[in-house]
């Protein structure tokens, strides 16, 4: 018989797998959190805190913003590369990321945007400067865009730096005020990891297996979207080749419908061991791993969420940067919060309660407590309510 996973159990498994089940307290193991997540997506927008910092704080509220940069630049516990976007990935995953360099190279070779970058000799000149001068950012170069200044166009040196970063010739040494500094890869990635070579088949097997482990259960699409480092046909082929080792399951959605999915052999043990999530109310980031895959989010939680940063103001349903509110295993609302670090204020601009949720005094007290914790995280001394 196919194992059936009820909706509440599916939520419990997913939140446990992604580190949102237990209260975010206790000793901080930052590399351990990142390893458990698989990667942490980077984002430049800082309405309250940048996405990567907020995601880590949500798992352990002893985390503070400078810690991640030390993890990258000083301790070399992580390296930066591309999943869905620029992300920090555990350093010892590097040998399994080689095929992603080749995938990105093939993609960029087809891209019209990279046709105006310097040729191979020009890129070698950039690498020579980095070899001589140390890590450099785009600010160290001054090539100009020729022709129309379209929104997504970049100067030739920026294209070259990014190209060499995507294909693995350069690596992120560190960031200053979120500005990336590029260095030669052999000066960033330990030699023993650079010396490890795995066939593409082994790398694909690792990517799919590790994705499914972090999902607890998933469809082919869920597995493919986790890293976005293999295409759908490759992932489907992997599931067929490993059918005997995978467990077919049916997962109940928030709408009561059952859908087929896959899990690893230990799924029943994980199901029995996964604790009920803490009843604490959490303010999650729009790029949080539990939020990021909108299809999975809607399917499991019945929570319809879209970030509206690219939506014109007059067409937004909610707001520019609105945070989901998770209580236990249920999304109970969304909130628009902003921080003014110069004034030391965290301001609440709007609160929306999800349909069917009764906003009690107890929930309001939980939200106030979470806002107070968030204020401490960003160094604010006051929480100001600008909405009734």
């Amino acid at each position: 018989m196919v194992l059936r996973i009820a909706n509440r159990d599916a939520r419990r498994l997913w939140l446990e797998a992604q580190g949102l089940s237990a209260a975010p307290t206790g000793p901080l193991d930052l590399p351990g959190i990142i390893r458990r997540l698989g990667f942490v997506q980077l984002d430049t927008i800082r309405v309250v805190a940048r996405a990567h910092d907020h995601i880590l704080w949500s798992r352990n509220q002893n985390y503070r913003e400078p810690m991640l940069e030390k993890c990258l630049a000083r301790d070399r516990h992580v390296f930066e590369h591309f999943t869905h976007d620029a992300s920090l990935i555990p350093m010892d995953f590097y040998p399994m990321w080689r095929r992603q360099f080749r995938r990105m190279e093939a993609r960029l070779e087809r891209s019209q945007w990279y046709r105006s970058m310097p040729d191979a000799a020009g890129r070698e000149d950039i690498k020579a400067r980095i070899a001589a001068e140390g890590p450099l950012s785009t600010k160290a170069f001054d090539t100009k865009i020729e022709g129309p200044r379209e929104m997504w166009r970049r100067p030739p040196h920026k294209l070259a730096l990014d190209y060499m970063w995507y294909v693995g010739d350069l690596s992120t040494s560190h960031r200053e005020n979120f500005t990336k500094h590029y260095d030669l890869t052999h000066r960033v990635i330990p030699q023993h990891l650079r010396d490890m070579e795995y066939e593409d088949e082994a790398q694909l097997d690792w990517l799919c297996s590790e994705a499914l482990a972090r999902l607890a259960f998933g469809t082919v699409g869920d597995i493919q979207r986790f890293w976005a480092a293999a295409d759908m046909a490759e992932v489907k082929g992997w599931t067929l080749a490993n059918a005997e080792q995978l467990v077919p399951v049916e997962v109940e959605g928030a709408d009561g419908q059952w859908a087929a999915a896959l899990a690893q052999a230990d799924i029943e043990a994980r199901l029995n061991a996964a604790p009920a999530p803490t009843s604490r109310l959490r303010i999650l980031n729009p790029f949080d791993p539990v939020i990021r895959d909108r299809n999975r989010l809607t399917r499991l939680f019945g929570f319809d969420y879209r970030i509206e940063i690219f939506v014109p103001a007059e067409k937004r349903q909610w707001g520019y940067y609105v945070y989901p509110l998770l209580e236990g295993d249920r999304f109970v609302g969304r909130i628009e919060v902003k921080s003014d670090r110069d004034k030391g204020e965290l301001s609440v601009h709007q609160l929306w309660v999800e349909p069917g949720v009764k906003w009690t005094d107890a929930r309001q007290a939980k939200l106030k407590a979470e806002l107070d914790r968030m204020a401490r995280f960003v160094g604010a001394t006051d929480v100001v309510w600008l909405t009734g």
Side-chain angles (χ1 to χ4, degrees):
M1 293 180 62
V2 173
L3 176 66
R4 294 193 121 198
I5 303 175
N7 183 248
R8 293 293 297 273
D9 291 332
R11 298 185 195 195
R12 176 167 57 90
L13 273 170
W14 176 222
L15 293 173
E16 167 66 10
Q18 285 296 299
L20 285 179
S21 186
T25 57
L28 174 64
D29 176 9
L30 183 54
I33 293 174
I34 300 172
R35 172 179 291 277
R36 182 175 185 175
L37 294 175
F39 65 93
V40 176
Q41 181 177 332
L42 300 173
D43 195 79
T44 186
I45 299 172
R46 190 173 73 175
V47 176
V48 174
R50 291 193 172 103
H52 41 281
D53 292 314
H54 189 173
I55 289 165
L56 295 167
W57 177 79
S58 291
R59 273 75 187 167
N60 189 308
Q61 292 182 353
N62 290 314
Y63 172 80
R64 290 296 180 267
E65 291 174 352
M67 296 177 180
L68 188 58
E69 176 59 27
K70 292 178 182 177
C71 195
L72 169 70
R74 185 191 68 185
D75 300 330
R76 300 293 192 214
H77 288 313
V78 293
F79 71 98
E80 183 182 333
H81 205 255
F82 199 84
T83 55
H84 316 81
D85 210 322
S87 301
L88 292 179
I89 304 166
M91 181 64 81
D92 60 350
F93 291 4
Y94 184 85
M96 295 302 184
W97 210 251
R98 295 287 185 84
R99 74 186 302 273
Q100 178 71 333
F101 299 149
R102 295 190 290 274
R103 290 179 78 248
M104 295 304 300
E105 182 175 14
R107 181 185 302 178
L108 297 181
E109 292 290 347
R110 298 190 299 268
S111 171
Q112 62 175 339
W113 299 110
Y114 284 82
R115 292 173 186 170
S116 59
M117 73 175 174
D119 61 14
R123 297 196 297 272
E124 286 301 319
D125 289 342
I126 291 174
K127 288 171 66 177
R129 273 197 63 187
I130 293 173
E133 301 175 35
L136 296 176
S137 74
T138 59
K139 297 176 182 178
F141 303 87
D142 60 1
T143 61
K144 307 297 182 186
I145 297 173
E146 296 182 1
R149 300 183 67 85
E150 297 169 295
M151 180 178 178
W152 298 109
R153 292 196 65 188
R154 299 290 183 266
H157 71 267
K158 172 62 173 170
L159 293 174
L161 288 166
D162 280 348
Y163 177 88
M164 290 187 284
W165 179 81
Y166 280 123
V167 305
D169 291 342
L170 298 179
S171 295
T172 304
S173 167
H174 64 286
R175 285 177 176 262
E176 292 180 10
N177 298 320
F178 207 65
T179 298
K180 183 190 298 186
H181 284 65
Y182 302 81
D183 201 354
L184 303 179
T185 289
H186 75 267
R187 299 200 297 214
V188 175
I189 307 298
Q191 182 173 341
H192 73 281
L193 295 176
R194 289 185 283 111
D195 288 344
M196 290 183 186
E197 293 283 352
Y198 294 90
E199 297 293 334
D200 272 18
E201 183 178 352
Q203 293 182 54
L204 178 64
D205 179 65
W206 183 91
L207 287 167
C208 294
S209 297
E210 293 295 317
L212 191 53
R214 287 164 176 79
L215 289 164
F217 56 86
T219 64
V220 173
D222 292 338
I223 298 169
Q224 189 278 328
R225 287 189 296 271
F226 184 84
W227 304 103
D231 62 38
M232 193 70 78
E234 289 176 318
V235 176
K236 186 174 182 179
W238 176 83
T239 63
L240 293 173
N242 291 273
E244 292 186 2
Q245 287 76 46
L246 299 175
V247 178
V249 298
E250 289 184 353
V251 181
E252 184 184 22
D255 60 0
Q257 298 297 307
W258 294 83
L262 296 167
Q264 293 184 326
D266 64 349
I267 182 61
E268 291 192 63
R270 291 183 68 169
L271 186 58
N272 292 331
T278 174
S279 62
R280 179 187 291 230
L281 191 146
R282 302 169 183 265
I283 300 172
L284 296 186
N285 192 271
F287 295 100
D288 193 281
V290 168
I291 307 295
R292 185 182 58 244
D293 188 335
R294 311 299 190 215
N295 294 332
R296 187 175 171 95
L297 175 69
T298 303
R299 193 165 69 241
L300 292 180
F301 296 92
F303 185 59
D304 183 16
Y305 178 82
R306 299 292 183 273
I307 191 166
E308 297 181 301
I309 54 178
F310 298 117
V311 177
E314 66 276 8
K315 295 184 178 180
R316 290 177 191 143
Q317 181 179 2
W318 309 105
Y320 174 74
Y321 207 85
V322 172
Y323 297 85
L325 298 178
L326 176 69
E327 182 187 33
D329 67 354
R330 183 184 185 191
F331 285 93
V332 296
R334 54 196 91 199
I335 191 169
E336 186 175 19
V337 184
K338 299 179 181 179
S339 69
D340 187 325
R341 299 195 180 208
D342 292 334
K343 292 183 179 180
E345 288 183 355
L346 186 71
S347 54
V348 180
H349 294 256
Q350 191 60 263
L351 171 66
W352 298 270
V353 178
E354 284 297 287
V357 173
K358 184 178 180 181
W359 199 258
T360 62
D361 290 343
R363 282 202 172 99
Q364 182 66 20
K366 286 183 181 182
L367 176 59
K368 182 181 182 301
E370 181 75 346
L371 287 165
D372 289 342
R373 290 187 287 263
M374 179 173 271
R376 290 193 292 273
F377 171 50
V378 299
T381 54
D382 295 307
V383 177
V384 180
W385 285 78
L386 301 178
T387 179

